[in-house]
């Protein structure tokens, strides 16, 4: 084989302690928005040995039984016994939820009908042509593996598996950015104490890896590691404390693109950490789908209380089919990056967020997410043709 480079991404199951916390936070966010679409929510969750602790700021007309919602979310994941690391039936649930700071609220709720950004920061959106869903292959496969791991557990195909688990995929690329093949696959899954490790490895290879990855896509010297430590009985919040927002690279592009640093789960759409990252992805997906480049990263930056971004920047990594300056110009003309524009155009107060809390916020065709739609392709292509034609006329 010729020269190539490697890119690696990981995913975690919904039972991973950090993902459990993301799911609880977004479960509560959905409940608040369902009753009051104007709710302002910033919900943080900590999971430890047989305990869930909730802290955050909420301003809402909604009335929730928070403890009941938390228990339902934990049990749905599959944490229904202490041997699994958490029992949603009787775990301790503590809450410390207060109202949003009035200093923040005055910047977000503006009297002229505009909505100010709920915080400052930089947000990134990315798309590439590796896969049909415009995601890097490594993170796409990693998510599919963890989803399959959860499916074989919940469906009873491998009933000895427990909720906690991880995957990792390494993909080889040639110097032109084309996929060469899969170089390494890693899966670690929590399991009952009485299963033989060799049986587990054979079962996971057959029912998870082989069910997700076509053998012809693997390199001849592919390395496969299944529970490489040999034992993973103690898991979930008993083995590792969970925290909302600690798997942000899993949530986005698996480390293939940059990340602004802000977490998503538990935050209402006025928090641009979440909403602007969705809008940046929306723009990037449409730019790649329009054929303007093979890879696109959109960077937005906001100041707290200010409705519009303070900067918009695009990187095409040398894959552009037309000048990058033209792409930047038409993107700003086609997409409304104001906070209100993002919320309204993507209908973010009516989105159900819990399904994206695990297995990625992007590249989820089964969910029909508004930021994954390619409905701006025609507008981008028409503007690109117009600008190029004008440039030719001016040069002639």
């Amino acid at each position: 084989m010729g020269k190539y480079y490697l890119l690696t991404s990981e995913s975690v199951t919904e039972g991973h302690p950090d993902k459990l916390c993301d799911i609880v936070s977004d479960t509560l966010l959905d409940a608040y928005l369902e009753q009051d679409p104007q709710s302002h929510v910033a919900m943080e969750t900590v999971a430890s040995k047989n305990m869930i602790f909730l802290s955050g700021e909420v301003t809402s007309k909604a009335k929730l039984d928070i403890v009941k919602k938390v228990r339902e979310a934990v049990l749905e994941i599959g944490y229904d016994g202490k041997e699994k690391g958490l029992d949603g039936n009787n775990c301790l649930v503590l809450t410390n939820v207060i109202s949003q700071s009035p200093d923040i609220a005055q910047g977000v709720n503006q009297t002229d009908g505009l909505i100010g950004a709920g915080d400052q920061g930089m947000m990134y959106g990315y798309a590439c042509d590796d896969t049909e869903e415009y995601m890097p292959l490594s993170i796409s496969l990693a998510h599919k593996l963890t989803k399959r791991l959860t499916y074989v557990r919940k469906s009873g195909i491998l009933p000895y598996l427990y909720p906690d688990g991880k995957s990792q995929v390494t993909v080889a690329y040639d110097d032109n950015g084309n996929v060469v093949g899969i170089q390494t696959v890693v899966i670690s899954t929590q399991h009952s104490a009485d299963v033989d490790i060799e049986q587990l490895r054979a079962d996971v290879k057959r029912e998870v890896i082989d069910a997700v990855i076509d053998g012809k896509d693997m390199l001849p010297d592919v390395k496969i590691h299944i529970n490489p430590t040999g034992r993973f009985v103690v898991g979930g919040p008993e083995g590792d404390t969970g925290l909302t927002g600690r798997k942000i690279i899993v949530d986005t592009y698996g480390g293939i693109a940059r990340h602004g640093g802000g977490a998503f789960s538990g935050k209402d759409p006025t928090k641009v950490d979440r909403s602007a990252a969705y809008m940046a992805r929306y723009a990037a997906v449409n730019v790649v789908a329009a054929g303007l480049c093979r890879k696109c990263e959109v960077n937005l930056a906001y100041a707290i209380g200010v409705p519009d971004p303070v900067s918009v920047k695009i990187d095409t990594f040398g894959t552009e089919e037309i000048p990058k300056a033209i792409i930047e110009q038409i993107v700003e003309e086609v997409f409304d990056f104001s906070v209100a524009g993002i919320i309204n155009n993507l209908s973010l107060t009516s989105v159900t967020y819990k399904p994206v809390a695990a297995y990625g916020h992007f590249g989820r065709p089964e969910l029909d997410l508004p930021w994954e739609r390619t409905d701006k392709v025609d507008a981008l292509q028409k503007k690109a043709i117009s600008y190029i034609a004008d440039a030719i006329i001016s040069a002639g």
Side-chain angles (χ1 to χ4, degrees):
M1 182 183 299
K3 193 175 173 185
Y4 62 87
Y5 62 92
L6 303 175
L7 294 175
T8 302
S9 300
E10 76 157 343
S11 177
V12 297
T13 65
E14 62 194 49
H16 184 280
D18 295 327
K19 272 292 137 210
L20 179 152
C21 292
D22 288 339
I23 290 169
V24 168
S25 292
D26 272 343
T27 295
L28 294 171
L29 171 66
D30 287 341
Y32 279 113
L33 291 176
E34 183 179 15
Q35 292 187 33
D36 178 9
Q38 304 307 314
S39 296
H40 290 173
V41 180
M43 187 69 67
E44 308 291 345
T45 305
V46 178
S48 190
K49 186 174 181 178
N50 219 36
M51 185 200 79
I52 301 289
F53 173 60
L54 293 151
S55 182
E57 301 79 46
V58 175
T59 299
S60 176
K61 297 176 183 177
K63 304 297 181 184
L64 299 186
D65 185 338
I66 292 178
V67 174
K68 181 181 178 182
K69 288 287 184 184
V70 170
R71 293 194 188 282
E72 289 174 349
V74 171
L75 290 169
E76 184 180 345
I77 290 170
Y79 281 117
D80 53 9
K82 289 186 178 180
E83 74 280 3
K84 298 177 181 178
L86 186 67
D87 187 349
N89 293 297
N90 56 32
C91 63
L92 180 63
V93 180
L94 302 175
T95 62
N96 183 32
V97 179
I98 62 175
S99 297
Q100 184 185 46
S101 163
D103 295 342
I104 295 175
Q106 70 177 354
V108 175
N109 304 320
Q110 298 188 8
T111 56
D112 54 7
L114 299 174
I115 301 175
D119 203 350
Q120 68 178 43
M122 303 80 62
M123 296 82 210
Y124 289 90
Y126 179 77
C128 65
D129 62 0
D130 274 12
T131 61
E132 291 182 357
E133 61 268 27
Y134 302 105
M135 290 291 285
L137 181 60
S138 54
I139 189 64
S140 178
L141 289 177
H143 284 321
K144 289 175 181 177
L145 288 169
T146 50
K147 286 181 71 176
R148 178 68 183 177
L149 200 57
T150 296
Y151 173 77
V152 299
R153 170 178 63 87
K154 287 187 168 182
S155 66
I157 295 174
L158 300 181
Y160 57 79
L161 297 184
Y162 285 171
D164 198 355
K166 295 181 177 183
S167 71
Q168 186 170 284
V169 177
T170 300
V171 176
Y173 292 81
D174 65 23
D175 286 341
N176 294 319
N178 300 308
V179 172
V180 177
I182 298 161
Q183 194 252 9
T184 306
V185 178
V186 183
I187 288 186
S188 294
T189 178
Q190 186 189 11
H191 57 86
S192 64
D194 55 358
V195 65
D196 177 75
I197 183 61
E198 294 308 322
Q199 177 192 345
L200 180 147
R201 286 171 173 163
D203 288 349
V204 170
K205 172 66 165 59
R206 181 186 66 255
E207 299 293 345
V208 179
I209 296 176
D210 293 347
V212 169
I213 302 176
D214 192 324
K216 72 177 188 303
D217 294 330
M218 295 185 178
L219 297 177
D221 59 347
V222 64
K223 300 177 183 65
I224 296 177
H225 302 284
I226 300 172
N227 280 33
T229 65
R231 180 178 170 87
F232 188 178
V233 173
V234 178
E238 183 175 10
D240 188 15
T241 299
L243 182 65
T244 299
R246 199 156 57 182
K247 284 294 180 186
I248 57 176
I249 301 304
V250 171
D251 288 339
T252 54
Y253 309 103
I256 307 306
R258 283 168 278 204
H259 195 294
F264 299 161
S265 291
K267 297 178 181 178
D268 74 82
T270 65
K271 279 56 170 194
V272 285
D273 280 341
R274 180 170 219 159
S275 55
Y278 290 169
M279 193 64 175
R281 162 69 176 176
Y282 181 46
V285 164
N286 278 272
V287 168
V288 174
L292 305 184
C293 57
R294 292 183 57 199
K295 298 179 182 180
C296 181
E297 184 181 77
V298 177
N299 172 217
L300 306 175
Y302 292 82
I304 188 168
V306 178
D308 293 299
V310 297
S311 69
V312 179
K313 182 178 180 297
I314 290 178
D315 194 345
T316 54
F317 307 96
T319 67
E320 65 273 10
E321 296 294 333
I322 62 174
K324 189 171 70 170
I326 292 180
I327 297 176
E328 288 184 331
Q329 190 165 352
I330 63 178
V331 163
E332 291 200 58
E333 292 177 6
V334 169
F335 296 93
D336 181 355
F337 293 118
S338 70
V339 179
I342 293 171
I343 293 172
N344 294 331
N345 291 326
L346 297 181
S347 304
L348 292 183
T349 58
S350 59
V351 169
T352 301
Y353 292 100
K354 179 186 172 185
V356 297
Y359 314 117
H361 294 242
F362 309 121
R364 303 289 301 276
E366 76 279 11
L367 298 178
D368 189 29
L369 300 168
W371 53 87
E372 295 293 304
R373 296 172 187 164
T374 53
D375 52 0
K376 299 294 185 182
V377 166
D378 287 346
L380 289 168
Q381 290 176 336
K382 288 177 181 177
K383 283 189 174 290
I385 292 170
S386 176
Y387 273 102
I388 292 170
D390 290 345
I392 292 172
I393 293 172
S394 299

